[in-house]
Amino acid sequence: MLTTTAPVHDVQVTDTIHRGLAGRDLLPAEHFVDSGYTEARVLVSAQRDYGIEIVGPVQGSAAWQAKGEDGFTQESFTIDWQAQEVSCPNGKRSRGWSDSTSQTGAAVIRVWFSINDCGPCAVRSQCTRGTGRIGRRLTFRNREELEALRKAREEQKTNEWRRRYQTRAGIESTISRQRRDPARLPLRRHRLRRKPGRADRTGIQVHRRPAAGRRRRPRQERQRRGTGREEPRRPGTR
């Protein structure tokens, strides 16, 4: 188990988990995860560096072309890796190929088509909504990562993959049952190791924070109730 701060995304710690398991000689052949761990880079690196097959749902394309039945997604294009060219469903070839970097720092390939080909195309509405000087644009990962991603997307459509992934559902149901009835299934017996400093102070503050919507009594009233004695009156008051 690995605990991190809230802003750390799941996929950022997958390699750390595998490295820790490798150090203890506990590497599994399969790692059943949820969609937060199934980035293309992780699919490749886990298999290459540790011999682990990542089994989990891979997110589909978020492009508008993927939302309709007749849209041309990346899978509709043919990539010639040797010539560094891409062919569209209508037979037109790309005019540019460039190695680049995504917003998250991942290495990607950017491809674009000529407006002279895309402008008069009869199926343009199924492919691009661009109105500039460049036609359809594509951004995809390197060959190894792209092929791993496409393979995972195809496999998760099969009944065999769904049957394998039921293992993950069984684990989740066991944890859920333990949370509801810890007396019958005492699995979460472990010591909490706190680091000195901010972690301890934060934990204390959380336990001392009053519940939402609860009226906080004045300090004098809390003092009287805590000691059982009436607080002395100040001079000049009744």
Side-chain angles (χ1 to χ4, degrees):
M1 182 179 69
L2 179 64
T3 304
T4 65
T5 56
V8 179
H9 197 273
D10 295 341
V11 76
Q12 296 178 256
V13 299
T14 309
D15 184 71
T16 303
I17 295 174
H18 291 166
R19 187 165 58 249
L21 292 173
R24 301 175 62 185
D25 196 22
L26 294 174
L27 283 176
E30 299 171 328
H31 188 179
F32 290 84
V33 298
D34 57 35
S35 58
Y37 296 84
T38 53
E39 188 183 62
R41 176 185 57 81
V42 174
L43 296 177
V44 174
S45 63
Q47 183 67 50
R48 181 190 63 224
D49 300 337
Y50 303 103
I52 299 176
E53 178 185 2
I54 299 292
V55 183
V58 177
Q59 296 181 356
S61 174
W64 66 265
Q65 293 92 339
K67 298 179 181 179
E69 297 181 357
D70 58 350
F72 294 149
T73 62
Q74 283 192 10
E75 286 73 12
S76 304
F77 292 75
T78 303
I79 303 175
D80 187 339
W81 296 98
Q82 296 296 331
Q84 295 188 343
E85 285 184 346
V86 178
S87 299
C88 76
N90 207 26
K92 301 298 182 181
R93 295 184 178 182
S94 60
R95 299 298 181 182
W97 176 296
S98 176
D99 295 330
S100 185
T101 305
S102 68
Q103 295 180 351
T104 59
V108 296
I109 299 172
R110 302 186 189 277
V111 172
W112 59 92
F113 289 79
S114 172
I115 190 62
N116 296 330
D117 294 328
C118 295
C121 182
V123 291
R124 176 184 173 87
S125 60
Q126 300 173 229
C127 186
T128 180
R129 296 174 180 173
T131 57
R133 297 181 180 180
I134 299 177
R136 177 68 184 269
R137 306 184 189 191
L138 298 174
T139 301
F140 48 87
R141 299 297 186 96
N142 60 58
R143 183 173 186 174
E144 189 177 17
E145 294 182 1
L146 182 61
E147 290 179 351
L149 188 62
R150 290 183 175 181
K151 179 183 178 182
R153 285 174 177 170
E154 290 300 320
E155 287 182 346
Q156 70 186 24
K157 298 177 183 178
T158 64
N159 293 330
E160 174 62 21
W161 186 92
R162 296 188 183 96
R163 185 192 62 79
R164 292 179 63 198
Y165 196 65
Q166 288 178 355
T167 301
R168 172 76 182 184
I171 296 172
E172 293 290 349
S173 63
T174 301
I175 296 175
S176 177
R177 179 185 174 186
Q178 193 278 332
R179 289 177 178 175
R180 295 193 306 269
D181 193 0
R184 295 184 60 184
L185 197 63
L187 299 178
R188 303 183 68 180
R189 294 181 178 179
H190 59 274
R191 291 182 296 176
L192 177 61
R193 297 181 179 179
R194 290 183 176 177
K195 295 181 179 180
R198 183 176 180 181
D200 282 341
R201 293 198 298 270
T202 303
I204 294 173
Q205 290 171 0
V206 170
H207 289 290
R208 289 183 177 179
R209 187 183 300 276
R214 179 181 174 185
R215 184 181 67 85
R216 190 175 180 87
R217 296 191 299 270
R219 181 177 181 181
Q220 293 178 354
E221 184 180 352
R222 295 199 307 274
Q223 290 177 345
R224 289 198 300 270
R225 293 195 177 193
T227 59
R229 300 192 302 271
E230 183 178 356
E231 188 173 351
R233 299 174 180 174
R234 291 178 298 178
T237 61
R238 295 182 179 180

